[in-house]
Structure formats: structure tokens, C-alpha cells
């Protein structure tokens, strides 16, 4: 029967005023405190959800709930359409997806898991089945900051089928988002949800919730207004990236055959900056600078009074296009630079053959939501084997056009050539050198970008410490010893060379995450950690590094430590340290930002990542959700900066090409500049037009980008084995006999290979259509096609091996001549595959110079360059299929039992 504690709570709640939330979904819309997850939809007056492959969640989330003191009562109806692995669940959404979870298993039993100090475990359960598909049930949850109680009954009944009683979990903190979801490794679970009621007996929590709802509603209205602006730009075919904060379009245009720039003499540097941008992106149209007066087409001017300036920092600008002239106003040279970039986008970035441009009449007022917008490039992780100056200049130009103003090359010890420690430069002078750093820093400065180096100073240093000359500095597992003065003397030598290479940098990032496995192991460090705790020892180490950087005129950036050391040692860390709060999941909220700020870290930066197909169905949807959600959260928390990471360039093995990440990187610039303009369906066509210079209907460009790059190999439910690049890399390189064994164990791979061929065909067709439209950045299309070719090669390999396996038994009864003829088609297939592997090798070799490519793996670059443990093994795969072709050609009269080369 229903426990008295929960019954009493329900009776108390029933006596309160109207519920804070009461939603029956009949209106077909959601309140501000709810949003749909995954592929869930509103239909027939209810939310309908279906579990998605890869444990992705589908359903509706609710919150944030202020839970510091309050207990919330949540009641909802649900009907299992189909039972699945974790269906009909009530789950945590933040700050972790694994704080608590109540779900129905395939048998109809209910399980309840929570996270406590002893780990993530099942704490309670119905034991026997109590839920049936096709019936409606009512669930009641009492949720506080540290416990929940769950009871379920048939709808309309007063008899509880199961009641968990109070179950504890670790303290949630100030707020919580929960979800009603289906979740599984397949698509088995399906649920209909209705009649959600949310209430509390805590007046302050009610007030906080109502305030949050008002803020969310205001944000929704602002977003709706931004969507109208974006639609107006789309209707005019104006691909502005990032989207300005305020745009008013008017009918009519202004045509330029020559840009004549005028302004007050005091603004000569600003006018010159505008001239350089115009010449860079509209090279066919001459630019002149004239005195004030005369036939002026583009006027630069200072802004009006402070009261008239709506922008929030010194990067803002106002751009007005009238029938007679353009007027660009800004407070700083950076503002003029960004305004000129927008002017070029209004004209459409044109090739040198264009002798005139046309600009639409408009009024634009613009500023960034996040002042510092950084892209981290993991030069030590497989890619960028060659630091080609021309390629990096192109990167700088393109990133500056996307209004990104920091670039951070990541060093552990393999890419930078340290003059004092030349053995560290595993890439030799092909990698970064002091000379290249200076040259690129100056070029970046001209584009209002600062290059900030990152050098690991605590963990992640196996590539440094594995050298015999430095092995004495190692604590354990690639971690520096914090007790040895020699450690800091060595790091100081590295800092000196990095500062010489990047003289315009105001910071140096000192790393500081993922080191606990090898930390505090030597007698001295262990003893010190026992005195002050491991977080204390961590703080001492990082503060020593901070002082070294201060002595060299640089600020310090660090990673938030994933095991909590940064927060635990907050009272021992200087608050001017920039803390990169990194989370790479598509979350509904990022409460860690506020938590770090409340600890006094005023320089907390939001840190998402471009993560494309790491090792599961972690595709662009995750990346774009992470970027848009985290950067919007950062904008709301008014963070001073953000860092977008590109670890291992988001692409494993043979696809380890930085070029393909630029699609996500440019989107990060969009979201950091204007966090409300984060619809990545709208972004796709704008990227196609701006990046490729492709002029076509926006709907057509949207479809082409979606098929060519965003989802080239299917959505989550459509992806097969190719969703895991680690598996792909092994399959491409495996002996042919091993591929046959895998097909025998997993015959479904044959049909999946046919499906993959179909996706590759669609992607190739879209790429070729984009190529016909493109006027710039063709190199991106080349490597998009290379990526598709890798997938198509693997699909054809699987089908060819399956064909040979099926053909083999029938050959024994054929005359020799007929047998040879039948085999010849297969032999030619293996020879064609060998040619595909050769093409892959050629493209990847080319990518090392012009697309940020790099050969992955542990061999060849002793001691190693980290690569995610995946190697590029096209040569190995080619040799295997060549061997197979030769074996089949040289068969004797007597056929062996198996058709595969030994």
C-alpha cells in the first residue's frame, strides 16, 4: 500500500494553490520549463517518444527546478506503447545524466538507480513485473536535492502498484533538470506521456521557479525575434556568419564599382583596416581612401553618444547602407574590422574576376555575446604533421571572417621544435618553430586574432617524459613530479621559447586536467599530499606555474579538473586564472559555469568541442547541440570567453583531417557571437553560401550540406557499423580472411554495407553539386569526397568478400576455364580496391600539408604522438587486397577449402 510519507506529501501538495506547472499537451505547445528531447514529438495531445540507438534519450525534460531546500512533487501519466531496455523512465538530466534513474525494463518490472558515494547502483525495484504495454499509469515522484520517492498506480486507481520509499543520492546543488524518457541501445521502448503536474510546498522554490519560467519565456521571445531576423536574411539570400544581433532590411541596393572610403583624419587607421578587409574578400573591386567630402561611398565614423550605443563591449559596430552610401561606425579598430567583414558578407565574398558588387540597404547594430572566442587546434594529437604557413594563414583569414579572435595550438611536446630540447620536436622543423610562430602571430594580429600556446605542465606529458633525458621528471603515467625544482626549470625553458614564438599572446594555457592517475606517487609528493591533500598539492603546482608566467608577463589558463580538484582547491588558487570549464555532451544545461563563478573564478570560460564520430553515434548533432547549448549558457552567465576544442580533430584514424572540422568550428563562432542564432538547420545553407561562395536557393544549399557533410551516412537510427570509426579503421586494414570471419559471425554487415553504399552515393552526388556551385574553399570539398571514399571503399570491400565466400562452393564443380572466368570478376574487384587504397594514401599524404592531416598511431613517430589509439593503415589494407588478388590469380587445378590468402 502507499507509504504514509508520500501520501502525506500528496495531501499537503493538494492543499496548495494552483500547481507551478500543469500541462496536458492538448494545446500542441510546451511551457517554458519543458523541451522535447531526441526525436520525441507532440502529437494527438500528448508527447510521444521512442528510444534511439546508442542510448540517446527521447522524451521531454522539465526544469530547472530549484531544489536547494524544496521538495517537488511531480505527477504524470504514461502509457507504454512498447516495453524496452530503459523505457518509461524518470531520470536526471543535469548536472549529470546519472544522478538518479527510474525505468521499466522489458519484462515490466521497475528499477531505481542512484549515484552516491559508493557509486552508481540499483537501490530499489519492484522485483516482479507491474507494468504492461497498452495501459495508462500515473506516476508520482517526490524529488528533493538529495532524495526521491517514486510511486506508480493505474490511472484512475488509488492503489499503488509499487512505491520505492525515500531513496537517497548525492546532493544535486542548487537546481536540477529531470526528464521523462525512453532510452536504449535500440529502438524498442515507446511511450506516450500526458498530464504533467509540478508543485511544491516551499514558497521560495515556487517563486524561484516562476522567475526562471519568466526568464525562459523572455529568452524564447528573444529567440523567436532572432528567428524572424534569420528568416528575413534567408529570404534575401544573405548568408551572414555570424548573424548580427540587430538587422533591419530595407528594399533596394547600392552598387559599388569602386569603394571610396572617407572619414575624419583621426580615423585613418580604421579606414585602412576597412580597406584591407575589402581588398581581401572583394579583390576585384578597387578601394580608394579620399578626404572628407567629395563622392563618398563608404564613410567611417566614430559612434555617437554612449547612450546611443547598444553594444556591450568594444567589438561592436553599426553599419548603415542607404541608396547613396555606406556608413560604418565603431568605437575601436576591432569594431571597424568586424563591421567590414559583415559588409563583405552582404556583398557576397567575390572572386577577383568580379568587377562590382551590390549591397542591400539595411541597418545593422552588432556586438558579440562572448568577448573572447577561441578555437583550440590539437596539433600534438595525430594531425598537423606539417605546420604549413600558407595553410595556417588561410585558417586565420577564415576564422577571423567568422569573428573568432583567439587560436590556441595545443602542445604536449611533439609539434613544437624547442631549440633547447630539439629531441622533443618529433615533427622536426616541419612542426611549429619560433620563426613560424612569430610569422603567424604577426599575420594573426593583422586579423585581430591572438595565437595563445598551450603547453601541458602537469599531466598529458607522456610524449615528453618518455625521453630518457627527461625521465627523471616523471611522477608516473606521463605526469610531472611537483616536488622537483628541475621540473619547473624545464617548464620555464619551454615557456621562454613559446613566448618568443608567440609574442602577441596575453596568456599561456598550462593544461592541468586528467593527471590524477599518476599524481602524488613519489615519496616527497605523497608526503606533501598527505599533509595538505591532493587538491592542495595540485594548487601548489599550478600556483607555482602561474607565478612563472606572471614573471614572463603572461596570464594563466587551465582546464577545470574533471575530478573536482579545481573547485576543492578554489581557496588556494588565484582568481585571475582563466578556468576552461569543459563538457562535450549535448546537455540541457551547464550548471558548472555558475558553480565555478560562485567559487570566485570570474574568468570561467565555456568550453565545448567539435566531436564528430568519435567512437559511437556521436555525430554532428551532438557537436551542434553542445556548441549551441553551452555557448548560450555561457552568454547567459556573461562569461568573458569560450574555447571550442577540436581534440584529435574529432575524426579518428584515416579521417584525421582538421579541414572537415571547420564546419563545426565556424558554427562555434556563430553561437559565441550571437547565442540566439543557433538553429543549425538554418546554418547549413549559410555555411554553403559563405564558405563555398555557392549561389543557389537556400533550401537547395541546406539539403546539399546536410547530405554532403552534416549527415552523410544517415541519422542515428540509420547508422550501422560505420558509426564507430575505431571499428572502421580495423576493418579497412584487416586481412581478407578476417573480414570473411567477421561476416560469418555478423551477416547483418552485408546489408549494412549496401545501405552505406547508398548513403555514399547520396553524399557524392551532393558534393559534386556543391563543387559545381563553389567559387572558393574547394579544398574542403576535396576532403569531404575523400571521407566519403573511405566509407565507400569499406562497403565495397565487405560486399566483395561476401561475394567471394558465396561463389566459392559452386566453383568446385565447374571446368577450369569457366572457373577462371567467374573468378576474374572477383580478382578485378580486389585490384580495384587496391587502387582505392592507393587513392586514400595519396589524399592523406596531400592532406598533411593542406588540410591539417597527420598519420596516426604509435609507430613511426617515436616515442608517440597521441592519436586516440587508432592508426592510419591504408598501406596495410592495400597490401592485403593485393595479396588476395594475386592468390586468386595463381590458384592451381585443385581448389583449396577456403578462398582466402594465408
Amino acid at each position: 500500500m502507499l507509504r504514509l510519507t508520500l501520501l502525506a506529501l500528496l495531501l499537503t501538495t493538494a492543499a496548495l494553490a494552483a500547481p507551478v506547472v500543469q500541462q496536458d499537451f492538448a494545446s500542441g505547445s510546451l511551457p517554458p520549463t519543458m523541451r522535447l528531447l531526441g526525436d520525441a514529438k507532440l502529437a494527438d495531445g500528448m508527447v510521444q517518444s521512442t528510444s534511439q540507438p546508442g542510448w540517446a534519450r527521447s522524451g521531454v525534460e522539465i526544469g530547472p527546478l530549484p531544489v536547494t531546500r524544496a521538495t517537488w512533487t511531480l505527477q504524470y501519466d504514461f502509457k507504454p506503447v512498447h516495453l524496452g531496455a530503459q523505457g518509461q523512465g524518470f531520470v536526471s538530466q543535469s548536472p549529470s545524466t546519472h544522478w538518479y534513474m527510474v525505468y521499466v525494463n522489458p519484462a515490466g518490472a521497475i528499477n531505481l538507480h542512484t549515484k552516491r558515494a559508493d557509486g552508481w547502483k540499483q537501490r530499489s525495484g519492484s522485483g516482479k513485473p507491474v507494468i504492461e504495454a497498452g495501459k495508462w499509469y500515473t506516476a508520482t515522484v517526490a524529488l528533493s536535492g538529495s532524495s526521491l520517492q517514486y510511486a506508480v498506480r493505474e490511472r484512475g486507481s488509488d492503489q499503488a502498484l509499487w512505491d520505492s520509499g525515500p531513496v537517497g543520492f548525492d546532493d544535486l546543488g542548487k537546481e536540477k533538470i529531470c526528464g521523462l524518457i525512453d532510452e536504449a541501445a535500440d529502438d524498442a521502448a515507446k511511450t506516450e506521456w500526458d498530464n504533467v503536474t509540478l508543485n511544491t510546498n516551499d514558497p521560495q522554490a515556487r517563486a524561484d521557479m516562476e522567475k526562471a519560467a519568466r526568464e525562459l519565456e523572455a529568452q524564447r521571445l528573444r529567440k523567436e525575434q532572432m528567428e524572424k531576423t534569420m528568416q528575413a536574411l534567408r529570404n534575401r539570400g544573405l548568408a551572414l556568419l555570424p548573424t548580427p544581433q540587430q538587422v533591419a532590411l530595407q528594399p533596394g541596393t547600392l552598387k559599388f564599382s569602386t569603394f571610396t572610403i572617407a572619414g575624419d583624419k583621426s580615423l585613418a587607421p580604421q579606414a585602412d583596416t576597412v580597406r584591407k578587409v575589402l581588398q581581401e574578400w572583394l579583390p576585384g573591386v578597387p578601394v580608394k581612401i579620399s578626404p572628407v567630402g567629395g563622392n563618398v561611398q563608404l564613410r567611417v565614423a566614430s559612434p555617437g553618444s554612449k547612450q546611443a550605443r547598444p553594444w556591450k563591449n568594444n567589438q561592436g559596430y553599426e553599419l548603415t547602407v542607404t541608396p547613396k552610401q555606406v556608413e560604418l561606425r565603431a568605437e575601436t579598430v576591432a569594431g571597424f574590422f568586424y563591421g567590414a567583414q559583415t559588409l563583405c558578407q552582404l556583398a557576397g565574398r567575390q572572386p577577383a574576376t568580379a568587377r562590382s558588387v551590390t549591397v542591400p540597404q539595411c541597418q545593422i547594430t552588432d556586438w558579440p555575446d562572448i568577448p573572447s572566442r577561441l578555437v583550440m587546434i590539437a596539433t600534438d594529437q595525430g594531425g598537423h604533421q606539417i605546420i604549413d604557413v600558407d595553410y595556417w594563414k588561410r585558417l586565420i583569414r577564415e576564422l577571423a571572417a567568422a569573428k573568432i579572435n583567439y587560436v590556441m595550438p595545443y602542445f604536449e611536446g611533439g609539434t613544437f621544435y624547442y631549440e633547447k630540447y630539439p629531441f622533443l620536436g618529433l615533427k622536426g622543423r616541419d612542426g611549429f618553430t619560433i620563426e613560424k610562430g612569430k610569422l603567424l602571430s604577426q599575420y594573426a594580429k593583422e586579423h585581430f586574432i591572438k595565437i595563445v600556446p598551450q603547453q601541458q605542465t602537469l599531466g598529458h606529458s607522456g610524449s615528453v617524459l618518455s625521453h630518457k633525458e627527461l625521465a627523471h621528471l616523471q611522477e608516473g603515467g606521463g605526469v610531472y613530479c611537483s616536488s622537483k625544482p628541475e621540473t619547473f626549470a624545464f617548464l620555464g625553458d619551454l615557456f621562454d621559447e613559446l613566448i618568443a614564438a608567440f609574442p602577441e599572446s596575453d596568456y599561456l594555457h598550462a593544461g592541468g586536467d586528467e593527471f590524477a592517475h599518476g599524481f602524488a606517487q613519489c615519496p616527497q609528493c605523497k608526503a606533501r599530499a598527505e599533509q595538505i591533500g591532493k587538491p592542495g598539492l595540485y594548487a601548489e603546482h599550478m600556483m607555482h606555474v602561474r607565478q612563472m608566467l606572471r614573471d614572463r608577463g603572461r596570464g594563466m589558463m587551465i582546464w577545470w579538473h574533471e575530478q573536482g580538484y579545481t573547485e576543492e582547491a578554489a581557496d588556494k588558487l588565484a582568481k585571475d586564472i582563466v578556468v576552461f570549464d569543459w563538457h562535450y555532451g549535448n546537455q540541457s544545461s551547464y550548471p558548472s559555469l555558475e558553480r565555478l563563478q560562485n567559487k570566485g573564478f570570474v574568468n570561467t570560460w565555456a568550453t565545448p568541442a567539435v566531436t564528430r564520430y568519435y567512437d559511437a553515434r556521436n555525430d554532428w548533432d551532438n557537436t551542434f547541440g553542445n556548441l549551441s547549448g553551452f555557448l548560450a549558457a555561457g552568454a547567459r552567465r556573461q562569461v568573458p570567453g569560450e574555447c571550442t576544442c577540436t581534440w584529435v580533430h574529432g575524426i579518428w584514424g584515416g579521417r584525421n583531417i582538421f579541414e572537415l572540422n571547420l564546419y563545426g568550428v565556424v558554427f562555434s563562432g556563430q553561437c559565441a557571437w550571437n547565442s540566439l542564432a543557433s538553429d543549425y538547420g538554418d546554418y547549413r545553407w549559410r555555411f554553403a553560401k559563405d564558405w563555398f561562395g555557392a549561389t543557389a536557393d537556400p533550401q537547395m544549399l541546406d539539403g546539399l550540406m546536410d547530405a554532403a557533410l552534416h549527415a552523410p551516412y544517415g541519422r542515428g537510427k540509420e547508422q550501422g557499423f560505420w558509426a564507430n570509426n575505431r571499428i572502421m579503421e580495423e576493418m579497412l586494414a584487416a586481412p581478407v580472411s578476417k573480414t570473411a570471419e567477421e561476416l560469418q559471425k555478423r551477416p547483418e554487415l552485408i546489408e549494412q554495407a549496401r545501405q552505406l553504399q547508398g548513403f555514399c552515393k547520396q553524399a557524392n552526388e551532393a558534393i559534386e553539386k556543391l563543387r559545381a556551385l563553389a567559387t572558393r574553399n574547394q579544398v574542403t570539398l576535396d576532403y569531404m569526397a575523400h571521407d566519403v571514399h573511405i566509407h565507400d571503399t569499406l562497403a565495397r570491400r565487405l560486399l566483395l568478400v561476401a561475394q567471394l565466400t558465396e561463389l566459392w562452393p559452386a566453383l568446385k564443380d565447374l571446368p577450369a576455364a569457366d572457373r577462371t572466368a567467374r573468378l576474374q570478376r572477383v580478382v578485378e574487384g580486389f585490384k580495384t580496391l587496391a587502387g582505392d587504397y592507393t587513392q586514400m594514401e595519396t589524399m592523406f599524404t596531400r592532406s598533411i600539408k593542406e588540410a591539417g592531416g597527420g598519420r596516426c598511431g604509435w609507430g613511426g613517430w617515436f616515442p608517440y604522438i597521441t592519436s586516440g589509439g587508432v592508426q592510419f593503415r591504408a598501406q596495410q589494407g592495400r597490401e592485403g587486397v593485393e595479396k588476395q588478388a594475386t592468390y586468386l590469380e595463381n590458384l592451381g587445378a585443385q581448389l583449396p577449402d577456403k578462398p582466402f590468402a594465408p
Side-chain angles (χ1 to χ4, degrees):
M1 62 184 297
L2 192 66
R3 285 172 168 81
L4 290 176
T5 51
L6 187 53
L7 179 60
L9 176 65
L10 290 173
L11 291 173
T12 302
T13 303
L16 291 173
V20 180
V21 173
Q22 189 166 20
Q23 186 71 20
D24 63 4
F25 306 118
S27 65
S29 62
L30 294 175
T33 49
M34 294 187 187
R35 75 168 183 141
L36 295 177
L37 297 171
D39 61 354
K41 60 183 178 181
L42 278 169
D44 302 324
M46 64 193 73
V47 172
Q48 299 175 352
S49 60
T50 303
S51 59
Q52 302 172 75
W55 301 100
R57 291 181 167 183
S58 173
V60 61
E61 69 176 21
I62 304 166
L65 308 178
V67 295
T68 306
R69 302 164 307 279
T71 295
W72 288 88
T73 303
L74 180 72
Q75 187 166 286
Y76 60 90
D77 295 341
F78 69 93
K79 182 177 78 173
V81 178
H82 196 280
L83 299 175
Q86 289 180 181
Q88 300 79 52
F90 175 78
V91 303
S92 59
Q93 283 286 104
S94 69
S96 163
T97 58
H98 285 84
W99 226 259
Y100 54 82
M101 173 181 286
V102 186
Y103 65 92
V104 181
N105 68 22
I110 303 174
N111 296 332
L112 190 159
H113 297 249
T114 67
K115 178 184 177 183
R116 294 205 296 250
D118 58 344
W120 171 256
K121 293 181 181 180
Q122 181 172 340
R123 309 292 178 180
S124 184
S126 65
K128 62 182 181 179
V130 295
I131 302 297
E132 299 177 31
K135 287 187 177 181
W136 277 100
Y137 297 88
T138 298
T140 304
V141 183
L143 179 67
S144 73
S146 57
S147 71
L148 68 81
Q149 183 171 351
Y150 178 95
V152 64
R153 53 192 167 86
E154 288 192 35
R155 187 162 69 176
S157 169
D158 293 330
Q159 182 66 40
L161 297 172
W162 181 69
D163 179 8
S164 69
V167 179
F169 47 75
D170 289 345
D171 193 347
L172 294 177
K174 292 180 64 176
E175 66 178 37
K176 188 63 184 170
I177 295 177
C178 55
L180 309 178
I181 62 99
D182 288 319
E183 181 178 19
D186 50 35
D187 60 356
K190 296 182 181 180
T191 309
E192 294 176 350
W193 311 87
D194 204 358
N195 301 321
V196 177
T197 301
L198 183 66
N199 215 337
T200 181
N201 56 7
D202 186 304
Q204 185 59 52
R206 290 175 65 89
D208 291 345
M209 182 71 170
E210 289 164 355
K211 178 183 177 184
R214 290 193 297 271
E215 292 173 351
L216 288 168
E217 178 64 10
Q219 181 185 345
R220 184 187 67 80
L221 294 173
R222 291 195 300 272
K223 194 171 181 68
E224 279 186 2
Q225 184 58 48
M226 181 54 61
E227 287 168 355
K228 290 178 182 177
T229 297
M230 294 166 74
Q231 185 60 51
L233 292 169
R234 182 183 179 115
N235 292 342
R236 295 279 288 269
L238 297 173
L240 303 185
L241 282 174
T243 304
Q245 299 282 353
Q246 297 175 8
V247 182
L249 295 171
Q250 285 94 34
T253 58
L254 177 60
K255 184 175 182 179
F256 288 91
S257 54
T258 299
F259 281 103
T260 304
I261 304 175
D264 186 274
K265 288 183 179 180
S266 65
L267 296 175
Q270 289 85 332
D272 192 51
T273 293
V274 173
R275 176 186 63 79
K276 289 178 180 177
V277 174
L278 296 176
Q279 289 180 329
E280 194 162 63
W281 294 113
L282 305 172
V285 182
V287 181
K288 299 178 181 178
I289 296 181
S290 74
V292 176
N295 184 21
V296 174
Q297 289 180 297
L298 199 165
R299 181 182 298 279
V300 295
S302 297
S305 66
K306 278 195 174 184
Q307 288 75 17
R309 281 177 274 165
W311 57 75
K312 301 176 183 179
N313 56 55
N314 60 12
Q315 299 170 44
Y317 64 91
E318 293 174 341
L319 180 64
T320 306
V321 182
T322 69
K324 294 184 178 180
Q325 73 172 24
V326 172
E327 186 171 72
L328 177 57
R329 292 181 175 270
E331 191 173 57
T332 65
V333 182
F336 282 98
F337 177 80
Y338 292 130
Q341 294 284 358
T342 299
L343 177 59
C344 290
Q345 286 189 327
L346 286 169
R349 302 195 194 281
Q350 300 290 335
T353 54
R355 299 303 177 211
S356 65
V357 294
T358 301
V359 181
Q361 292 186 51
C362 60
Q363 171 68 50
I364 293 175
T365 304
D366 200 13
W367 64 89
D369 283 341
I370 299 178
S372 297
R373 303 166 300 281
L374 183 151
V375 172
M376 188 221 71
I377 303 177
T379 56
D380 256 27
Q381 294 207 335
H384 291 281
Q385 227 99 69
I386 292 176
I387 301 301
D388 182 76
V389 169
D390 289 337
Y391 180 71
W392 276 71
K393 282 184 174 181
R394 172 175 165 265
L395 281 182
I396 289 167
R397 287 194 303 274
E398 296 289 357
L399 295 178
K403 299 184 173 64
I404 287 163
N405 57 358
Y406 279 89
V407 170
M408 178 181 287
Y410 169 88
F411 302 127
E412 293 177 11
T415 303
F416 194 90
Y417 187 86
Y418 294 97
E419 298 290 340
K420 191 167 183 178
Y421 305 97
F423 56 84
L424 290 179
L426 301 180
K427 301 175 184 182
R429 294 190 183 275
D430 281 343
F432 259 110
T433 62
I434 291 177
E435 292 76 15
K436 288 181 185 178
K438 285 180 177 178
L439 192 156
L440 290 173
S441 290
Q442 179 58 37
Y443 189 79
K445 181 181 179 182
E446 295 167 5
H447 290 78
F448 294 85
I449 285 178
K450 291 182 179 180
I451 301 182
V452 177
Q454 177 177 173
Q455 174 61 56
Q456 288 285 357
T457 62
L458 187 48
H460 276 292
S461 298
S463 59
V464 173
L465 297 172
S466 58
H467 290 280
K468 63 180 184 299
E469 296 92 335
L470 301 171
H472 64 290
L473 303 180
Q474 182 164 223
E475 182 79 356
V479 176
Y480 286 104
C481 178
S482 299
S483 299
K484 289 188 172 139
E486 304 97 302
T487 292
F488 299 100
F490 168 71
L491 292 174
D493 290 340
L494 303 190
F495 294 162
D496 290 339
E497 295 202 29
L498 289 171
I499 290 169
F502 304 105
E504 304 300 330
S505 170
D506 43 0
Y507 290 100
L508 191 147
H509 196 298
D513 67 331
E514 297 179 329
F515 59 81
H517 60 282
F519 187 56
Q521 292 187 0
C522 79
Q524 295 92 332
C525 289
K526 189 174 182 180
R528 184 62 175 155
E530 288 173 353
Q531 286 181 325
I532 63 173
K534 287 186 177 181
L537 180 60
Y538 153 80
E540 283 189 347
H541 184 106
M542 302 312 286
M543 286 297 288
H544 192 158
V545 172
R546 172 184 172 271
Q547 187 59 49
M548 293 168 65
L549 293 175
R550 282 174 63 87
D551 292 344
R552 290 164 171 81
R554 295 295 183 272
M556 182 181 183
M557 294 171 160
I558 63 172
W559 298 111
W560 161 79
H561 185 247
E562 73 288 349
Q563 293 183 352
Y565 285 10
T566 310
E567 292 164 73
E568 291 177 47
D571 60 333
K572 300 177 180 67
L573 292 170
K575 299 308 182 291
D576 59 2
I577 295 174
V578 178
V579 179
F580 283 26
D581 178 28
W582 56 278
H583 302 278
Y584 304 149
N586 180 5
Q587 301 170 202
S588 53
S589 69
Y590 297 84
S592 53
L593 287 173
E594 182 179 10
R595 196 169 66 238
L596 285 165
Q597 289 174 329
N598 289 341
K599 290 283 186 180
F601 294 111
V602 293
N603 288 322
T604 297
W605 285 28
T607 308
V610 175
T611 56
R612 184 185 180 212
Y613 301 111
Y614 265 98
D615 55 3
R617 290 176 176 86
N618 191 9
D619 59 6
W620 284 122
D621 289 334
N622 179 78
T623 284
F624 279 48
N626 179 228
L627 291 171
S628 60
F630 207 171
L631 297 180
R636 288 194 297 272
R637 295 301 309 170
Q638 298 183 331
V639 298
E642 67 90 13
C643 164
T644 296
C645 298
T646 58
W647 294 114
V648 199
H649 314 312
I651 300 170
W652 295 104
R655 306 169 67 209
N656 187 23
I657 296 169
F658 179 78
E659 182 70 22
L660 297 184
N661 274 359
L662 291 171
Y663 174 57
V665 165
V666 173
F667 184 70
S668 78
Q670 163 81 356
C671 295
W673 185 276
N674 186 342
S675 60
L676 294 179
S678 57
D679 181 345
Y680 57 89
D682 180 78
Y683 169 75
R684 290 192 293 263
W685 82 269
R686 286 186 288 137
F687 180 87
K689 180 168 184 180
D690 186 59
W691 190 261
F692 297 121
T695 302
D697 176 71
Q699 186 173 355
M700 175 183 176
L701 292 177
D702 181 14
L704 291 178
M705 277 305 302
D706 192 39
L709 183 58
H710 190 86
Y713 315 115
R715 305 291 177 183
K717 289 184 178 181
E718 299 171 312
Q719 294 169 20
F721 63 85
W722 59 91
N724 189 324
N725 274 207
R726 294 173 184 265
I727 291 176
M728 274 189 58
E729 198 70 26
E730 294 173 4
M731 293 171 77
L732 275 163
V736 175
S737 58
K738 186 173 181 181
T739 300
E741 292 171 5
E742 190 67 21
L743 290 174
Q744 187 174 11
K745 288 187 288 186
R746 300 175 59 198
E748 70 274 11
L749 292 179
I750 298 173
E751 180 56 33
Q752 288 185 18
R754 293 192 182 99
Q755 293 169 351
L756 179 55
Q757 274 194 307
F759 286 127
C760 290
K761 183 175 183 292
Q762 291 176 6
N764 276 324
E765 289 173 352
I767 289 169
E768 290 312 304
K769 288 178 182 177
L770 283 170
R771 198 184 297 278
L773 296 168
T775 57
R776 56 189 300 268
N777 280 324
Q778 291 274 358
V779 66
T780 307
L781 292 167
D782 291 344
Y783 290 99
M784 288 165 62
H786 166 66
D787 191 23
V788 177
H789 181 243
I790 291 173
H791 285 75
D792 188 57
T793 298
L794 179 54
R796 286 184 290 107
R797 173 192 168 104
L798 293 173
L799 294 175
L800 185 62
V801 173
Q803 178 187 349
L804 177 58
T805 303
E806 184 179 357
L807 174 65
W808 195 254
L811 294 178
K812 292 184 178 181
D813 299 328
L814 293 178
D818 292 344
R819 188 172 67 203
T820 301
R822 295 280 296 275
L823 271 177
Q824 189 58 35
R825 289 194 292 272
V826 179
V827 170
E828 291 303 319
F830 280 109
K831 289 182 176 179
T832 299
L833 277 179
D836 287 310
Y837 279 97
T838 299
Q839 181 181 341
M840 287 160 53
E841 291 176 89
T842 300
M843 281 297 293
F844 208 69
T845 299
R846 174 186 160 192
S847 79
I848 290 172
K849 182 173 181 180
E850 64 178 38
R855 297 188 181 276
C856 301
W858 309 103
W861 291 96
F862 181 81
Y864 68 82
I865 294 174
T866 55
S867 64
V870 177
Q871 302 176 44
F872 179 56
R873 296 175 289 189
Q875 178 181 345
Q876 184 178 334
R878 172 177 53 77
E879 290 171 350
V881 297
E882 287 174 341
K883 181 180 179 181
Q884 181 65 32
T886 302
Y887 176 75
L888 293 176
E889 282 187 311
N890 295 326
L891 287 173
Q894 185 67 34
L895 285 180
D897 291 336
K898 295 184 177 180
F900 304 110

